[in-house]
Amino acid sequence: MKNLENCLRRKLPYNQSMTIDQGKVNEFADLTGDKNKIHLNSDHAMLIGHSRCIVHGHLTAAFIGGIIGTLFAEDFVVIQKIEYAFRRVIYSNEEINIQLDILEIFPALNTAIVGIKVINSAGNIAVKGKIQMGLSMEPSKNH
């Protein structure tokens, strides 16, 4: 059986910079039905004090889930629980930096808590949270 701590220490801390463009925001709105004008219409966003459209919080969260899924695809790591606090807006076409790091490991349970930070282009924490992760059972070699 694999050891979660070894899996995590090989791959974390992890940083990835990315830009969520307006096209992705529009696709997410179509997929989820969240068509709030603050995400889709820059004139509306400016009317209420923003410089441009705001990225959906859960779109940012989906990219974090994608990173976790890709990083640990071969390790049988499963997400057991996720908590997010959306502290600042992320604008469409703004560069962000997603950071993941180990906060705590529980060897007896083969479980860990991984911290999440998303830093916006102004250097502020836009999203902060944590993920509880564990190992699923490896598939049998006989099946």
Side-chain angles (χ1 to χ4, degrees), residues 10-68:
R10 276 194 333 263
K11 298 178 180 180
L12 299 177
Y14 179 85
N15 292 289
Q16 179 176 331
S17 292
M18 66 184 307
T19 301
I20 303 174
D21 64 41
Q22 188 61 43
K24 294 285 185 216
V25 173
N26 295 345
E27 289 175 31
F28 189 80
D30 287 341
L31 182 65
T32 63
D34 182 352
K35 305 234 178 170
N36 187 318
K37 290 180 186 178
I38 201 164
H39 303 299
L40 304 172
N41 183 309
S42 58
D43 291 335
H44 179 76
M46 286 189 278
L47 194 65
I48 58 173
H50 296 284
S51 61
R52 56 189 183 272
C53 293
I54 294 174
V55 172
H56 300 80
H58 288 288
L59 176 54
T60 306
F63 280 108
I64 294 166
I67 290 169
I68 294 290

